[in-house]
C-alpha cells in the first residue's frame, strides 16, 4: 500500500472541487434567500404602514426550507385597536 | 480618470497586503500616481510591508476624524516618487472610521491620485465593508484551497450588493488573483487548478502568482516584490496583472523561476 501510494500520490484536488461546488451551490441559495426575506419584509412593512401605524419590528418574515417545498411565514402584529391612517386623518 | 481599487478576500493570510504593495508599486512604476491605503485598523501591516513603518506620523483615522490633513498622513515611498502609503491606525478603535469620514477621504484621494488601492482587512465586518464601499474595481485574492475559495465566494456576493456601485445598480468589476499557486502540485491533482477555481467563482482572472521565496524575502526587507526582485516569478506575475488592470491584453501564463540549471530544475520539481 505504501509503495502504491508512493507511485500514485492521492489526487485530493477533485474532492476539494466537488465539495466546494456542492457547498457553494447551497450557500448561494441561502444567501439569496436571506436577501429575499429582507426585501419581502421591507415591502410588506411598506404596504401595511401605508394604511396602519405599525412599528418596524412587528413584521416577521421567516422561511422554512424543506426538501419538496419551502414555506414562507409572515407574522404581522397590529396594535389594538386597529386604526387605519385614513380614519385618523378624518 | 481616478480609479479606486479594493484588494479583498474574506479569509486572512492569503496575500492581500503583499498584493496591494506589489500591484501598487507596479502601477506606480509606469509613472502613475498611486496611493495604497491600509484599512486594517488595529492590525496595520501595509506600512511594514512597504518599509515605511518608521515614518508613520498620522494615519487614516486621524484624517477621517479631521485631526490631520491628508498630506500630513501620506508617506511618500523612498524608491518611487509617485507612490504613497496611507497607514492605518495601530491603536485606535475601528469604530472610529465613520462612513461619512471615509467617503470624504476617498473623494480627496481621488482628486490627487490615478489609483487609490485599498488594502481590506480580513473578514466581512465593518472594516472590510468600508474598504470596498467606494471601489470602482475589486481584486479578490484567493489561494487554491477550499476555505479561501469559499470565503472569496462570500466576498464576491458582498461586492455585488454592498458597494456604492452595486447599490446604484451599476456593474461592479471584479478580478480574481490566484496566489500561492503551485502548478506542479495542481498538475498532480494535489491542489485546485486555476480552471477549477475559475469555474467555481466565475469572475475573470487577473493573474496567477506562483508560490515563491521571493515574496517572503520582499516582506523581510520591507519592499514590494515588484520593486525589490522585479525579475522573480511572482514579481513578473504581479507586473502582468497590473498591466491587465490598465486594460492591456497580456497572455496568461504562470511565470516560473528563471534561475537554476538542470539539477535544480530536476530537484526543484521533486521538492515542490
Amino acid at each position: 500500500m505504501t509503495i502504491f501510494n508512493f507511485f500514485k500520490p492521492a489526487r485530493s484536488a477533485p474532492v476539494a472541487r466537488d465539495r466546494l461546488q456542492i457547498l457553494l451551490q447551497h450557500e448561494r441559495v441561502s444567501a439569496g434567500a436571506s436577501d429575499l426575506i429582507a426585501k419581502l419584509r421591507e415591502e410588506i412593512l411598506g404596504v401595511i404602514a401605508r394604511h396602519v401605524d405599525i412599528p418596524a419590528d412587528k413584521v416577521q418574515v421567516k422561511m422554512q426550507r424543506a426538501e419538496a417545498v419551502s414555506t414562507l411565514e409572515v407574522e404581522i402584529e397590529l396594535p389594538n385597536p386597529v386604526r387605519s391612517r385614513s380614519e385618523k386623518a378624518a | 480618470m481616478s480609479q479606486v481599487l479594493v484588494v479583498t478576500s474574506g479569509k486572512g493570510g492569503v496575500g492581500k497586503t503583499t498584493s496591494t504593495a506589489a500591484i501598487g508599486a507596479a502601477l506606480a512604476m509606469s509613472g502613475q500616481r498611486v496611493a495604497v491605503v491600509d484599512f486594517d485598523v488595529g492590525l496595520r501591516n501595509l506600512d511594514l510591508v512597504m518599509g515605511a513603518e518608521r515614518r508613520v506620523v498620522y494615519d487614516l483615522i486621524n484624517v477621517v476624524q479631521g485631526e490631520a490633513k491628508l498630506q500630513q498622513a501620506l508617506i511618500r515611498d523612498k524608491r518611487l516618487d509617485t507612490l504613497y502609503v496611507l497607514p492605518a491606525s495601530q491603536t485606535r478603535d475601528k469604530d472610529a472610521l465613520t462612513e461619512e469620514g471615509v467617503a470624504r477621504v476617498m473623494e480627496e484621494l481621488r482628486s490627487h491620485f490615478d489609483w487609490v488601492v485599498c488594502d481590506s482587512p480580513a473578514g466581512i465586518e465593518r472594516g472590510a465593508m468600508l474598504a470596498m464601499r467606494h471601489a470602482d474595481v475589486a481584486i479578490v485574492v484567493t489561494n487554491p484551497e477550499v476555505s479561501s475559495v469559499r470565503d472569496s465566494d462570500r466576498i464576491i456576493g458582498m461586492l455585488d450588493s454592498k458597494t456604492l456601485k452595486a447599490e446604484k445598480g451599476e456593474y461592479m468589476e471584479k478580478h480574481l488573483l490566484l496566489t500561492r499557486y503551485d502548478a506542479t502540485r495542481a498538475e498532480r491533482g494535489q491542489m485546485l487548478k486555476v480552471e477549477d477555481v475559475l469555474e467555481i467563482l466565475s469572475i475573470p482572472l487577473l493573474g496567477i502568482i506562483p508560490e515563491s521565496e521571493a515574496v517572503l524575502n520582499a516582506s523581510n526587507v520591507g519592499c514590494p516584490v515588484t520593486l525589490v526582485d522585479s525579475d522573480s516569478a511572482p514579481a513578473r506575475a504581479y507586473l502582468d496583472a497590473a498591466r491587465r488592470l490598465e486594460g492591456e491584453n497580456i497572455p496568461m501564463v504562470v511565470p516560473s523561476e528563471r534561475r537554476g540549471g538542470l539539477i535544480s530544475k530536476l530537484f526543484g520539481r521533486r521538492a515542490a
Side-chain angles (χ1 to χ4, degrees):
Chain A
M1 195 63 191
T2 16
I3 287 173
F4 180 74
N5 281 348
F6 179 79
F7 285 113
K8 199 181 169 207
R11 292 180 62 85
S12 54
V15 182
R17 188 193 54 215
D18 294 347
R19 287 176 60 218
L20 272 170
Q21 271 168 340
I22 292 164
L23 173 74
L24 293 180
Q25 213 170 13
H26 177 80
E27 284 189 345
R28 283 170 193 156
V29 170
S30 51
S34 71
D35 280 356
L36 173 71
I37 288 169
K39 225 174 248 170
L40 282 173
R41 195 180 159 279
E42 201 176 295
E43 289 188 16
I44 291 168
L45 181 67
V47 169
I48 296 177
R50 247 188 273 152
H51 303 286
V52 185
D53 271 327
I54 184 172
D57 59 336
K58 295 301 179 197
V59 174
Q60 306 253 343
V61 179
K62 286 180 204 150
M63 191 181 270
Q64 300 272 358
R65 201 171 287 278
E67 243 174 69
V69 285
S70 298
T71 55
L72 191 70
E73 184 187 327
V74 182
E75 191 184 318
I76 304 160
E77 201 180 302
L78 292 176
N80 263 336
V82 179
R83 196 178 294 161
S84 79
R85 281 185 188 275
S86 52
E87 266 175 51
K88 245 202 294 187
Chain B
M1 202 194 76
S2 171
Q3 291 253 62
V4 176
L5 166 71
V6 63
V7 180
T8 186
S9 71
K11 191 174 184 299
V14 297
K16 282 183 297 295
T17 303
T18 301
S19 299
T20 301
I23 286 180
L27 290 167
M29 283 161 88
S30 64
Q32 304 194 73
R33 291 178 59 82
V34 179
V36 290
V37 184
D38 194 346
F39 271 83
D40 203 346
V41 172
L43 288 171
R44 77 163 176 232
N45 274 318
L46 185 59
D47 56 331
L48 194 55
V49 171
M50 296 286 295
E53 72 277 10
R54 294 171 62 183
R55 296 198 288 144
V56 176
V57 182
Y58 295 109
D59 57 53
L60 176 62
I61 287 188
N62 293 135
V63 183
V64 163
Q65 301 210 320
E67 297 158 351
K69 287 184 180 152
L70 180 61
Q71 277 72 14
Q72 293 176 294
L74 283 168
I75 307 166
R76 177 190 276 196
D77 189 86
K78 283 191 167 155
R79 299 143 301 213
L80 284 172
D81 278 354
T82 56
L83 180 60
Y84 289 78
V85 186
L86 182 55
S89 166
Q90 180 69 315
T91 52
R92 305 278 285 272
D93 186 1
K94 55 182 178 296
D95 291 334
L97 282 185
T98 59
E99 173 110 30
E100 307 73 47
V102 170
R104 183 174 49 77
V105 174
M106 295 311 285
E107 210 44 56
E108 200 177 344
L109 282 165
R110 269 183 199 275
S111 70
H112 293 291
F113 293 96
D114 300 312
W115 288 93
V116 181
V117 187
C118 304
D119 184 18
S120 172
I124 52 171
E125 303 301 317
R126 202 180 139 72
M129 300 278 251
L130 282 172
M132 70 168 65
R133 187 87 183 129
H134 300 268
D136 302 305
V137 47
I139 293 181
V140 180
V141 183
T142 307
N143 288 168
E145 180 271 327
V146 286
S147 57
S148 174
V149 175
R150 180 199 210 173
D151 291 357
S152 292
D153 193 74
R154 267 306 273 292
I155 282 291
I156 290 168
M158 285 175 59
L159 286 165
D160 283 334
S161 58
K162 312 280 187 200
T163 54
L164 282 176
K165 263 199 139 176
E167 284 178 4
K168 279 190 269 178
E170 291 170 28
Y171 172 70
M172 181 72 205
E173 192 184 329
K174 301 169 293 289
H175 299 277
L176 178 72
L177 190 67
L178 196 59
T179 53
R180 309 199 68 166
Y181 191 69
D182 185 329
T184 312
R185 296 188 70 190
E187 207 43 60
R188 286 189 194 144
Q190 296 169 335
M191 180 184 268
L192 287 168
K193 286 187 181 175
V194 180
E195 304 83 66
D196 295 336
V197 181
L198 282 176
E199 190 193 328
I200 291 166
L201 295 178
S202 48
I203 58 171
L205 183 62
L206 183 71
I208 306 159
I209 315 298
E211 171 83 62
S212 164
E213 290 170 9
V215 171
L216 183 57
N217 286 341
S219 83
N220 284 344
V221 299
C223 185
V225 70
T226 38
L227 270 180
V228 74
D229 193 0
S230 56
D231 197 39
S232 66
R236 282 182 284 133
Y238 277 123
L239 288 163
D240 280 356
R243 289 171 65 191
R244 288 186 195 106
L245 267 182
E246 294 175 87
E248 281 186 56
N249 192 2
I250 295 166
M252 189 68 66
V253 287
V254 190
S256 53
E257 305 291 349
R258 276 174 181 156
R259 45 183 166 265
L262 178 66
I263 291 181
S264 80
K265 266 185 197 157
L266 282 173
F267 285 94
R269 275 185 73 85
R270 196 164 294 170

